[in-house]
Short mmCIF file of all heavy atoms in Angstrom, two decimals:
data_model
loop_
_atom_site.label_atom_id
_atom_site.label_comp_id
_atom_site.label_asym_id
_atom_site.label_seq_id
_atom_site.Cartn_x
_atom_site.Cartn_y
_atom_site.Cartn_z
N THR A 81 -116.40 -20.24 -46.78
CA THR A 81 -115.79 -21.56 -46.56
C THR A 81 -114.98 -21.55 -45.27
O THR A 81 -114.00 -20.83 -45.15
CB THR A 81 -114.91 -21.94 -47.77
OG1 THR A 81 -115.69 -21.84 -48.95
CG2 THR A 81 -114.39 -23.35 -47.63
N TYR A 82 -115.41 -22.38 -44.32
CA TYR A 82 -114.80 -22.44 -42.99
C TYR A 82 -113.74 -23.52 -42.84
O TYR A 82 -112.73 -23.32 -42.20
CB TYR A 82 -115.89 -22.72 -41.93
CG TYR A 82 -116.78 -21.56 -41.65
CD1 TYR A 82 -117.97 -21.38 -42.34
CD2 TYR A 82 -116.46 -20.64 -40.67
CE1 TYR A 82 -118.81 -20.32 -42.08
CE2 TYR A 82 -117.29 -19.57 -40.39
CZ TYR A 82 -118.47 -19.42 -41.09
OH TYR A 82 -119.29 -18.36 -40.82
N SER A 83 -114.02 -24.72 -43.34
CA SER A 83 -113.17 -25.85 -43.02
C SER A 83 -112.95 -26.71 -44.25
O SER A 83 -113.78 -26.74 -45.16
CB SER A 83 -113.79 -26.69 -41.91
OG SER A 83 -115.09 -27.10 -42.27
N LEU A 84 -111.80 -27.42 -44.26
CA LEU A 84 -111.44 -28.31 -45.36
C LEU A 84 -110.93 -29.63 -44.81
O LEU A 84 -110.27 -29.66 -43.77
CB LEU A 84 -110.33 -27.68 -46.22
CG LEU A 84 -110.63 -26.35 -46.89
CD1 LEU A 84 -109.36 -25.80 -47.53
CD2 LEU A 84 -111.73 -26.50 -47.92
N LYS A 85 -111.21 -30.70 -45.53
CA LYS A 85 -110.70 -32.03 -45.18
C LYS A 85 -110.58 -32.84 -46.46
O LYS A 85 -111.52 -32.88 -47.26
CB LYS A 85 -111.66 -32.72 -44.20
CG LYS A 85 -111.21 -34.10 -43.78
CD LYS A 85 -109.98 -34.05 -42.92
CE LYS A 85 -109.62 -35.43 -42.41
NZ LYS A 85 -108.47 -35.40 -41.55
N LEU A 86 -109.43 -33.48 -46.65
CA LEU A 86 -109.28 -34.35 -47.81
C LEU A 86 -110.20 -35.55 -47.65
O LEU A 86 -110.29 -36.13 -46.57
CB LEU A 86 -107.83 -34.84 -47.93
CG LEU A 86 -106.78 -33.77 -48.18
CD1 LEU A 86 -105.40 -34.40 -48.18
CD2 LEU A 86 -107.03 -33.02 -49.47
N GLY A 87 -110.86 -35.93 -48.72
CA GLY A 87 -111.71 -37.10 -48.74
C GLY A 87 -111.06 -38.20 -49.58
O GLY A 87 -109.96 -38.04 -50.11
N ALA A 88 -111.74 -39.30 -49.72
CA ALA A 88 -111.24 -40.43 -50.50
C ALA A 88 -111.39 -40.16 -51.99
O ALA A 88 -112.22 -39.36 -52.42
CB ALA A 88 -112.01 -41.70 -50.11
N ASN A 89 -110.58 -40.84 -52.78
CA ASN A 89 -110.70 -40.83 -54.24
C ASN A 89 -110.67 -39.44 -54.86
O ASN A 89 -111.47 -39.12 -55.73
CB ASN A 89 -111.97 -41.57 -54.66
CG ASN A 89 -112.01 -42.99 -54.14
OD1 ASN A 89 -111.01 -43.70 -54.22
ND2 ASN A 89 -113.13 -43.39 -53.59
N GLY A 90 -109.74 -38.61 -54.40
CA GLY A 90 -109.55 -37.29 -55.02
C GLY A 90 -110.62 -36.27 -54.69
O GLY A 90 -110.84 -35.34 -55.47
N THR A 91 -111.26 -36.43 -53.55
CA THR A 91 -112.30 -35.47 -53.17
C THR A 91 -111.80 -34.56 -52.05
O THR A 91 -110.79 -34.82 -51.40
CB THR A 91 -113.59 -36.18 -52.73
OG1 THR A 91 -113.30 -37.03 -51.62
CG2 THR A 91 -114.18 -37.00 -53.87
N LEU A 92 -112.55 -33.50 -51.84
CA LEU A 92 -112.27 -32.53 -50.79
C LEU A 92 -113.60 -32.15 -50.17
O LEU A 92 -114.54 -31.81 -50.88
CB LEU A 92 -111.59 -31.30 -51.40
CG LEU A 92 -111.25 -30.14 -50.48
CD1 LEU A 92 -110.14 -30.54 -49.51
CD2 LEU A 92 -110.82 -28.93 -51.30
N TRP A 93 -113.69 -32.25 -48.84
CA TRP A 93 -114.88 -31.81 -48.12
C TRP A 93 -114.66 -30.38 -47.65
O TRP A 93 -113.56 -30.03 -47.20
CB TRP A 93 -115.14 -32.70 -46.91
CG TRP A 93 -115.76 -34.00 -47.24
CD1 TRP A 93 -115.11 -35.22 -47.32
CD2 TRP A 93 -117.13 -34.26 -47.54
NE1 TRP A 93 -116.01 -36.20 -47.65
CE2 TRP A 93 -117.26 -35.64 -47.79
CE3 TRP A 93 -118.27 -33.46 -47.63
CZ2 TRP A 93 -118.46 -36.23 -48.11
CZ3 TRP A 93 -119.47 -34.04 -47.95
CH2 TRP A 93 -119.57 -35.41 -48.19
N ALA A 94 -115.70 -29.56 -47.73
CA ALA A 94 -115.63 -28.18 -47.26
C ALA A 94 -116.89 -27.84 -46.49
O ALA A 94 -118.00 -28.16 -46.93
CB ALA A 94 -115.48 -27.22 -48.44
N GLY A 95 -116.73 -27.22 -45.33
CA GLY A 95 -117.87 -26.70 -44.57
C GLY A 95 -118.11 -25.27 -44.99
O GLY A 95 -117.21 -24.44 -44.89
N MET A 96 -119.31 -24.98 -45.50
CA MET A 96 -119.57 -23.63 -46.00
C MET A 96 -121.01 -23.21 -45.82
O MET A 96 -121.88 -24.03 -45.56
CB MET A 96 -119.15 -23.51 -47.46
CG MET A 96 -119.95 -24.35 -48.42
SD MET A 96 -119.37 -24.24 -50.12
CE MET A 96 -117.75 -24.93 -50.01
N GLN A 97 -121.23 -21.91 -45.95
CA GLN A 97 -122.55 -21.31 -45.83
C GLN A 97 -122.67 -20.19 -46.86
O GLN A 97 -121.66 -19.74 -47.41
CB GLN A 97 -122.76 -20.75 -44.43
CG GLN A 97 -121.93 -19.52 -44.19
CD GLN A 97 -122.25 -18.78 -42.93
OE1 GLN A 97 -121.48 -18.83 -42.01
NE2 GLN A 97 -123.36 -18.08 -42.90
N PRO A 98 -123.88 -19.70 -47.12
CA PRO A 98 -124.03 -18.59 -48.07
C PRO A 98 -123.31 -17.34 -47.58
O PRO A 98 -123.30 -17.04 -46.37
CB PRO A 98 -125.54 -18.36 -48.11
CG PRO A 98 -126.17 -19.60 -47.60
CD PRO A 98 -125.18 -20.19 -46.63
N LEU A 99 -122.72 -16.60 -48.51
CA LEU A 99 -122.05 -15.35 -48.15
C LEU A 99 -123.02 -14.28 -47.68
O LEU A 99 -122.63 -13.38 -46.96
CB LEU A 99 -121.26 -14.82 -49.36
CG LEU A 99 -119.92 -15.48 -49.61
CD1 LEU A 99 -119.37 -15.06 -50.96
CD2 LEU A 99 -118.93 -15.15 -48.51
N ASN A 100 -124.28 -14.38 -48.08
CA ASN A 100 -125.24 -13.34 -47.70
C ASN A 100 -125.90 -13.59 -46.35
O ASN A 100 -126.79 -12.85 -45.96
CB ASN A 100 -126.30 -13.18 -48.79
CG ASN A 100 -127.14 -14.43 -48.99
OD1 ASN A 100 -126.79 -15.50 -48.50
ND2 ASN A 100 -128.22 -14.31 -49.74
#
Side-chain angles (χ1 to χ4, degrees):
T81 306
Y82 287 92
S83 56
L84 300 172
K85 180 68 175 182
L86 297 176
N89 303 315
T91 59
L92 178 68
W93 282 102
M96 66 183 64
Q97 71 170 108
L99 281 169
N100 63 347

